[in-house]
């Protein structure tokens, strides 16, 4: 094959050439505690009921481009404010991309607080935007309001992203500080509530008061990561603009059908997430009891902790050798040196992780 290197250098946009593709490590055969998935499957009756619906699916037809029935079901099952419109994405990752396409371009800036969610930066770069990150406070990862307000004044960001609770730090920022950011921002503020099911607090009720506020959620962390379904809530006029950038059939027949079915049984997921919240507290207590670790409290379904200096790579590898996969945060951000992140699993999985961790720490 002839080498395309020169053409690539000439044609691929510099911002893209300088990026790294998002890497997902292989997990086959491992206890998978790296990606904030819900570990629980469905009860047998639910699987049977779902298969009955799948049998009726018409895969020869395009999906309903407006996903009208799914949206109606979402309004019944998820607490969505009355005046808010819904925009659906193939995961909330796609919604972040849609926002970049509608609001992005040269001279426009995405601002967020870091360490934060990796996709804000990646998508800002490939939608031609500048990316600015305000460090969270050292120690407790709180939002540094003065620094945020100074950055908002200096950069006049088109989009501010705040994850509430934040990934990978697990904390939910002070509400008054978030409110102050919304009021000071000249552009839109997107509250990313991916971990809503584990937090219990939301900014959705504030949508009516702020013309620049958007609230984004996903069904991924509550137990449906495989479906790829995220939703943005906001004023109908905003969402009408973003709709123009949405590809008409982004939510597949199988996703629409499966999400509708799952949300008819939303109590199953509510029970699973309730158990995970309890498990999170048990896991937190067990980690905190280990002298070698610094552990941060979490409002999400994961816990971030720091191992002794220089040990993150060996502890992460040691866990993996014992069949447990978690996320190595060390090396991903200056404030996350020696840090690892574990997703809350079943009691058995968490027990396996804790035993493996003790051994890996030596
Ligand atoms: C997991 C996550 C998302 C992405 O969710 P998908 O709907 O699965 O694409 C968005 N934001 C944050 C903060 C997350 O942790």
């Amino acid at each position: 094959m002839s080498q395309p290197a020169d053409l690539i250098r000439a044609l691929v946009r510099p911002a893209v050439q300088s990026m790294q593709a998002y890497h997902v490590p292989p997990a086959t055969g491992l206890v998978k505690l790296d990606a904030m998935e819900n570990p629980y499957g469905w009860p047998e009756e639910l699987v049977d009921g779902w298969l009955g619906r799948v049998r009726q699916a018409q895969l020869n037809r395009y999906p309903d481009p407006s996903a009208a029935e799914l949206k109606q079901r979402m309004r019944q099952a998820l607490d969505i404010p009355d005046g808010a419109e819904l925009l659906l994405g193939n995961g909330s990752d796609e919604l972040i991309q849609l926002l970049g396409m509608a609001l992005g371009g040269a001279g426009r800036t995405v601002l967020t607080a870091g360490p934060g969610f990796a996709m804000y930066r990646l998508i800002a770069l490939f939608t031609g935007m500048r990316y600015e990150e305000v460090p969270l406070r050292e120690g407790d990862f709180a939002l540094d309001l003065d620094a945020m307000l100074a950055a908002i004044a200096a950069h006049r960001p088109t989009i501010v992203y705040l994850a509430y609770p934040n990934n990978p730090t697990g904390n939910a920022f002070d509400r008054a500080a978030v409110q102050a950011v919304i009021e000071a921002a000249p552009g839109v503020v997107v509250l990313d509530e991916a971990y809503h099911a584990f937090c219990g607090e939301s900014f959705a009720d504030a949508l009516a008061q702020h013309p620049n506020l958007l609230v984004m959620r996903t069904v991924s962390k509550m137990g449906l990561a495989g479906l790829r379904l995220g939703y943005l809530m906001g004023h109908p006029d905003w969402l009408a603009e973003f709709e123009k950038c949405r590809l008409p059939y982004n939510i597949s027949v199988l996703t629409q059908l499966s999400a509708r079915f799952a949300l008819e049984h939303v109590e199953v997921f509510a029970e699973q997430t309730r158990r995970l919240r309890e498990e999170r507290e048990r896991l937190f207590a067990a980690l905190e009891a280990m002298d070698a670790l610094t552990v941060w409290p979490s409002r999400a379904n994961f816990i971030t902790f720091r191992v002794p200096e220089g040990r993150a790579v060996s502890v992460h590898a040691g866990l993996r050798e014992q069949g447990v996969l978690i996320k190595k945060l060390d090396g991903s951000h200056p404030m996350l040196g020696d840090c690892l992140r574990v997703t809350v699993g079943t009691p058995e999985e968490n027990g396996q992780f804790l035993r493996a961790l003790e051994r890996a720490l030596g």
Side-chain angles (χ1 to χ4, degrees):
M1 229 189 291
S2 64
Q3 295 300 318
D6 291 344
L7 271 176
I8 288 173
R9 256 195 305 281
L11 297 180
V12 176
R13 288 159 49 212
V16 176
Q17 288 194 49
S18 66
M19 289 167 60
Q20 304 282 320
Y22 190 83
H23 172 66
V24 178
T28 313
L30 299 174
V31 176
K32 194 170 184 308
L33 300 176
D34 66 327
M36 281 76 92
E37 292 146 321
N38 172 339
Y40 294 111
W42 291 9
E44 197 76 26
E45 325 78 84
L46 219 59
V47 174
D48 288 341
W50 173 64
L51 287 174
R53 300 283 181 88
V54 169
R55 220 166 266 131
Q56 295 160 22
Q58 292 197 304
L59 296 184
N60 55 319
R61 302 291 179 198
Y62 282 108
D64 172 7
S66 69
E69 288 176 297
L70 171 57
K71 281 185 185 171
Q72 195 186 346
R73 173 55 62 189
M74 291 171 77
R75 287 193 182 278
Q76 287 160 359
L78 307 166
D79 46 342
I80 292 161
D82 286 338
E85 189 50 76
L86 283 177
L87 174 72
L88 305 188
N90 191 328
S92 38
D93 287 352
E94 192 191 37
L95 294 169
I96 301 169
Q97 185 183 49
L98 268 167
L99 289 164
M101 289 191 289
L103 301 171
R108 295 176 174 223
T109 300
V110 163
L111 178 79
T112 189
F117 185 50
M119 297 312 290
Y120 306 147
R121 179 176 163 276
L122 276 178
I123 291 170
L125 296 184
F126 71 63
T127 54
M129 302 182 80
R130 288 184 19 205
Y131 175 81
E132 298 289 341
E133 190 180 291
V134 175
L136 293 171
R137 271 195 342 223
E138 199 79 55
D140 62 358
F141 295 127
L143 198 63
D144 184 339
L145 181 57
D146 291 340
M148 280 301 287
L149 296 179
I152 286 169
H155 301 296
R156 311 290 296 164
T158 304
I159 310 176
V160 175
Y161 284 107
L162 289 177
Y164 184 91
N166 189 42
N167 172 16
T169 59
N171 55 322
F173 301 133
D174 178 70
R175 289 188 73 88
V178 173
Q179 184 94 14
V181 167
I182 297 168
E183 279 160 17
V188 298
V189 176
V190 181
L191 262 287
D192 180 350
E193 299 186 341
Y195 298 96
H196 176 62
F198 304 95
C199 173
E201 275 185 76
S202 172
F203 276 85
D205 291 336
L207 280 169
Q209 287 123 51
H210 303 286
N212 65 333
L213 177 62
L214 299 164
V215 176
M216 185 168 70
R217 291 191 196 145
T218 173
V219 300
S220 294
K221 312 303 165 41
M222 69 175 253
L224 299 168
L227 286 185
R228 310 306 297 131
L229 179 65
Y231 54 107
L232 189 71
M233 298 178 276
H235 193 286
D237 292 351
W238 269 126
L239 298 209
E241 296 302 312
F242 304 145
E243 273 288 345
K244 299 173 189 173
C245 299
R246 183 180 67 83
L247 298 177
Y249 304 119
N250 65 328
I251 312 297
S252 80
V253 166
L254 288 177
T255 295
Q256 292 194 33
L257 161 159
S258 304
R260 277 171 62 197
F261 176 81
L263 293 177
E264 286 166 28
H265 304 277
V266 73
E267 71 287 347
V268 172
F269 301 96
E271 171 59 18
Q272 291 178 347
T273 50
R274 190 193 60 74
R275 279 155 72 184
L276 290 169
R277 285 196 303 270
E278 280 180 14
E279 241 347 87
R280 173 183 71 199
E281 299 316 312
R282 265 197 289 276
L283 185 56
F284 178 77
L287 288 170
E288 250 209 335
M290 295 187 189
D291 289 337
L293 306 181
T294 305
V295 192
W296 283 275
S298 169
R299 305 281 301 273
N301 65 336
F302 59 84
I303 295 175
T304 291
F305 58 97
R306 178 169 276 144
V307 297
E309 202 178 335
R311 294 292 315 279
V313 170
S314 68
V315 171
H316 182 258
L319 286 165
R320 215 195 136 88
E321 277 158 27
Q322 299 175 77
V324 179
L325 181 65
I326 69 170
K327 174 86 172 178
K328 183 170 72 66
L329 298 173
D330 176 78
S332 69
H333 190 281
M335 286 171 77
L336 295 173
D338 305 309
C339 286
L340 302 172
R341 183 192 69 199
V342 63
T343 303
V344 180
T346 64
E348 297 71 34
E349 289 173 331
N350 299 333
Q352 228 174 314
F353 157 71
L354 287 167
R355 285 190 297 279
L357 180 61
E358 269 172 4
R359 249 175 269 143
L361 284 165

